[in-house]
Amino acid sequence: MTLGPQPYYWPNTPTLNYGGSPPIATRTGWMALACLPFMIVLPTRANMIASLTGVSHERLIVFHNWVGWAMFALALVHTFPFIVFHIWKGDMVNVWNTSVVYWTGVVALIAQAYLQVFSLRFIRDRFYEFFKATHYLAAVVFVIFFFIHCDFRLSSWDYFIATGVLYTLSFLYPQIRTYFEFGLRHRASFTMVSDSTLKVTIPIDTAWRPGQHMFLRFIHMGVHAFTAHPFTICSIPVSRSSAGKSKLIFYLHPRGGLTGRLAKTAAQRPGFSVPVLLDGPYGGVQGRPLHTYDHILVIACGAGAGFSLPFVMDGLLRLARGTENKKLVKRIQVVIATRDTQLVQWYDEALMEYLEDNGLEIPPESLDISVYQTGRSKSQGNSTFKGPEGSAEKLDETIQISRHLPINVFSGRPDITKVIRDATLQLEHSVGIAACGPKEMLKTVQDEAAAAQVRIMNSESGAREVYLHSEVFS
């Protein structure tokens, strides 16, 4: 639609004038304007697209980014033909000095260029707090000057009206839900369970599923009280037969900004609490729950370790409370790679607390938890594994340091390829895989899951069904 129709410019001459707006510039300008409602609405938590498709907002954010790049490219194609035309005509300086359309368009273009460049992952991750603060400011500048630039030409402002209505509805729904569904009575308590992990606990009476996340807004935390932060829920509700109360539990790796401030306060005052506003839950596993598969395989790296807990808890609950009439998971396998040498202690305590709250016994031999401590400086054993990058590393002998659960500890990196291949080569088994970690690790997981599904399509020996749910963390 951009380069197909011709001519790109009117065949004007000094004596014959077909018009002042090059066709390609006019066309791409309207196409860019049509992108505006989608670009503004897609990143909101409760947008109409998510409601209609059933796809959670965090998976739609990639479309927000690509729609932004498409709009930016169209804006550039819209801009340069006007410059070429007016330079040919000889009045470029005059129209710049006398027409508000040109300089407002340039300001909007600069603001959009800033938004797109700073949204590049390696820049966004490095300067996240600065990116988040300036992203909204640049977006406001962009919309205002884009609005003035359109100057009510034809139906141009109709797009802004539609954008405003959709965004307002998407913004108001979470606020109304926060106050009417959860209220203002909840408090979050904070404890440092290791030198690099902060535990957040919120007693609550609501339901959620493994893999979902909540948006938390901490009151009395300065400017952070005005922003909601997404965190993956690392617990599941207590069972109906339990007399205890459900708790939303989050395990965070503090960085700068809000989490760093909370961690510093928790280290000085363990168990301190602040009022919190809740919005959610969002996301989670689409389709069948993981506990309906024969083999649950959870792979987590770094800050994603807490992500594995609700899947393990849900699997253990199904094993303990299931009946012969219900399909039960046969094996729960967890592989965690971490630099946190204290992870085994707080991971064991989290699972034991859940088992005690629900009156469950110590799990059977079908539970297999392997923790790979990548921060260890030396290795002592004879087992050799290949890391995701393909390099061989010596691992410590298996060390069972958990007091309650079968948690085996190694040093080095897990061979993720081998772990997934072994799980998916089991004959006539269904395998549900959940993975959380950096993009490089997820690429390995996704490749192996795809290879397993190809084997199924080719009727080769191995698992009869493989499902993958993956989440990336920054």
Side-chain angles (χ1 to χ4, degrees), residues 64-74 112 116-117 119-120:
H64 162 70
N65 193 16
W66 282 111
V67 169
W69 280 110
M71 186 177 181
F72 181 56
L74 289 168
Q112 189 175 19
Q116 294 305 131
V117 171
S119 68
L120 294 172

Side-chain angles (χ1 to χ4, degrees), residues 68-91:
W69 280 110
M71 186 177 181
F72 181 56
L74 289 168
L76 291 175
V77 178
H78 168 73
T79 301
F80 289 113
F82 278 107
I83 296 175
V84 171
F85 171 75
H86 285 291
I87 289 177
W88 170 82
K89 194 175 179 181
D91 62 350

